[in-house]
Amino acid sequence: MAHRWTNTLTHADVTPRGAFLNRRQVIAGMAGAGLASAAGSALAQSELEPNSWEEITSYNNYYEFGTRKEDPALYAGSLTTEPWSIEIDGLVDRPGTYDFSAILSELTIEERIYRFRCVEAWSMVVPWNGFELADLLTMAGVQDGAKYVAFETAYRPDEMPGVRYPVLEWPYREGLRLDEALHPLTIMATGIYGKPIPNQNGAPLRLVVPWKYGFKSIKSIVRITLTEAEPPTSWNMANPREYGFYSNVNPEVDHPRWSQATERRIGGGLFAKREPTLMFNGYQQEVAGLYAGMDLSKNF
Ligand SMILES: Nc1nc2c(c(=O)[nH]1)N[C@H]1C(S)=C(S)[C@@H](COP(=O)(O)O)O[C@H]1N2
Ligand SMILES: [Mo]
């Protein structure tokens, strides 16, 4: 069912790299393939080959472990990810502390191969494993008045060398409108290439919202709060002119300091041509409706 929304990006479309391959998931994914090519994104899909494990896990942004791309791989090993629990509170029927392993035993993990576009104008293609955020929110029972979902990353000065520096207001915070959070493309990732997600990528679970700039995809989540008002978010608090609450990938709305029209695909090599950035990162068909009537240059 949910595979309908994967925009056909499965290993069936690409040259496998000898990485993990779940037959059942691939076959399920193929069932949706016709749908999305009919939606007209066949060209973009044919270019989609997932980045290597090495690329995905050694070029990271996780400022709690330092601001250089190599820092998270070097230092995130210190993060204790077991046991792990998530506080779900605010406007929910069943607020409380949810044990991560208990959540896993309730929900189905599937593979989603998504484009990933950082606001810094680089991109990758990542074969995530995870579950739909909607399924977790359903477990907690979303109440009528809820309009937004706020997320928080763990704040562990003893394990996170980067939080000594006031680069951002810690804990790292992010947020989505409730309809964005419930959209079937929005997942909580728990793995990559069928292996548990490495610490530098946000273990044990991180958000992935493929049509938004990467910084919305908050890592190592310990708290989810359903709210009535738009929650404050770390990058927006740091610089509201440069980082909007929505931060949908949009080649027509430039960052004040650089163009967003093109992107550099990680692993493309030194002389690779920059690629055009796609509206909503290529997921326009699925998500444009969420923003009908909104001025995307104002609500950036
Ligand atoms: N807690 C936390 N989450 C975070 C970040 C961060 O610094 N801290 N960086 C964001 C940014 S800018 C990006 S591009 C992605 C990077 O994810 P990746 O390292 O798995 O590619 O994580 C996002 N989530
Ligand atoms: Mo980013």
Side-chain angles (χ1 to χ4, degrees):
M1 237 293 265
H3 284 284
R4 237 178 248 195
W5 298 95
T6 61
N7 211 0
T8 83
L9 315 182
T10 77
H11 281 296
D13 304 314
V14 300
T15 315
R17 294 189 175 219
F20 175 88
L21 225 140
N22 180 320
R23 291 304 311 166
R24 194 165 49 86
Q25 288 168 334
V26 169
I27 290 160
M30 285 171 70
L35 277 168
S37 10
S41 40
L43 188 84
Q45 284 152 25
S46 65
E47 300 162 5
L48 275 165
E49 181 177 326
N51 282 84
S52 67
W53 171 264
E54 190 57 30
E55 286 157 355
I56 296 167
T57 62
S58 64
Y59 187 92
N60 300 99
N61 279 332
Y62 197 165
Y63 279 12
E64 288 88 331
F65 296 98
T67 55
R68 299 175 310 167
K69 301 292 183 244
E70 61 269 33
D71 285 337
L74 288 171
Y75 304 121
S78 57
L79 183 69
T80 311
T81 59
E82 239 187 286
W84 193 271
S85 59
I86 303 131
E87 196 69 31
I88 307 186
D89 59 7
L91 300 169
V92 289
D93 295 332
R94 292 171 288 281
T97 306
Y98 287 72
D99 183 59
F100 176 59
S101 49
I103 291 172
L104 279 188
S105 69
E106 296 277 321
L107 301 175
T108 315
I109 301 293
E110 54 178 299
E111 182 179 62
R112 299 286 181 95
I113 302 181
Y114 283 162
R115 293 183 198 82
F116 187 87
R117 169 59 156 86
C118 175
V119 72
E120 298 162 336
W122 54 263
S123 66
M124 296 199 200
V125 174
V126 185
W128 303 108
N129 310 96
F131 53 83
E132 292 185 12
L133 174 60
D135 292 341
L136 180 60
L137 295 179
T138 301
M139 275 174 76
V142 178
Q143 293 185 342
D144 275 349
K147 294 197 180 75
Y148 293 89
V149 187
F151 305 86
E152 270 180 37
T153 293
Y155 174 72
R156 308 237 185 100
D158 291 348
E159 298 184 349
M160 296 174 152
V163 301
R164 282 197 296 255
Y165 308 99
V167 202
L168 291 169
E169 254 186 68
W170 314 110
Y172 193 103
R173 271 159 274 183
E174 258 310 331
L176 295 172
R177 221 171 52 192
L178 182 61
D179 58 345
E180 298 176 322
L182 294 176
H183 193 283
L185 280 178
T186 303
I187 60 164
M188 292 290 252
T190 57
I192 295 171
Y193 274 119
K195 300 183 197 133
I197 194 166
N199 287 5
Q200 59 265 38
N201 294 90
L205 87 167
R206 59 89 62 86
L207 185 67
V208 177
V209 194
W211 71 94
K212 291 179 180 282
Y213 291 121
F215 68 85
K216 298 292 292 183
S217 292
I218 180 173
K219 296 178 170 181
S220 310
I221 295 167
V222 293
R223 189 170 178 203
I224 300 177
T225 310
L226 281 285
T227 64
E228 205 200 323
E230 185 183 293
T233 59
S234 290
W235 280 102
N236 183 255
M237 286 188 281
N239 194 335
R241 218 175 59 86
E242 298 191 352
Y243 308 103
F245 175 80
Y246 285 94
S247 285
N248 293 315
V249 175
N250 188 338
E252 286 156 26
V253 176
D254 287 336
H255 186 281
R257 291 183 280 130
W258 58 83
S259 165
Q260 293 292 26
T262 63
E263 63 201 54
R264 176 175 65 94
R265 179 69 54 80
I266 300 300
L270 220 48
F271 303 104
K273 243 182 76 210
R274 293 179 71 86
E275 293 179 26
T277 287
L278 303 173
M279 188 64 195
F280 293 112
N281 203 25
Y283 302 97
Q284 179 162 26
Q285 190 80 25
E286 290 88 347
V287 303
L290 296 174
Y291 310 102
M294 277 172 64
D295 181 341
L296 298 178
S297 62
K298 290 207 181 83
N299 296 289
F300 64 92

